[in-house]
Amino acid sequence: MPKTRAKVKKSVPPAAPTAKAATAPAHAEEQSEIAKLAAKHWLGSKPKYTKKCVDAVARHLADAHFAKRTLQELERTQYLERLLWPHFSESSTDIHVLSVLLMINEKHQEKLLATLWPVVQDSFAMLFARATKIARKTVGSDDLSIGVFGQTEVRTVVTQFLIA
């Protein structure tokens, strides 16, 4: 008996993107909430600080579960350098302080921290004092002390913790 072969459908590879699609800007990214806030508040020639803007960005980050893509978009728009840090003070809200820390962490993840240190160095003590104050409210002083000294060997950080 002759063997019969089953008919196999040949799969057709997907069409290559057209030149128009390849060069078209990513409208979804351009119209993101972060992009809108950046354009309105900190990408202009005169950044306009409002507590509502910082809160809106923090809300957006939380809603996005602190997605790497969202943090990278904030980094690309210089959120820390143009809005957060210039308006950072002892009276900044906890959300503002935590946003600064989050963006510093993102810079560290992207290996860009060295470019930021000269800018924040003079006010590092104030930032650290505010961060430890927030942590003490949340965690408790004894637990925080153990955590800092158990995890940190950086002299500047330990020194600031002792002063705070």
Side-chain angles (χ1 to χ4, degrees), residues 73-147:
E73 185 176 8
L74 286 167
E75 171 55 33
R76 277 193 311 272
T77 61
Q78 296 183 322
Y79 179 53
L80 177 64
E81 296 90 336
R82 295 186 53 79
L83 188 74
L84 291 176
W85 194 252
H87 298 97
F88 175 71
S89 70
E90 289 182 11
S91 62
S92 294
T93 65
D94 288 356
I95 295 293
H96 189 124
V97 174
L98 294 172
S99 296
V100 168
L101 295 172
L102 189 63
M103 294 311 300
I104 288 173
N105 184 62
E106 178 59 26
K107 282 201 168 288
H108 174 70
Q109 295 294 319
E110 298 292 324
K111 297 183 179 19
L112 300 170
L113 197 54
T115 62
L116 182 65
W117 184 248
V119 176
V120 300
Q121 184 175 2
D122 293 338
S123 299
F124 180 76
M126 181 175 47
L127 174 63
F128 196 85
R130 287 298 315 280
T132 54
K133 183 178 177 183
I134 293 167
R136 283 183 174 137
K137 283 193 295 188
T138 307
V139 177
S141 185
D142 291 339
D143 291 337
L144 184 62
S145 298
I146 292 166

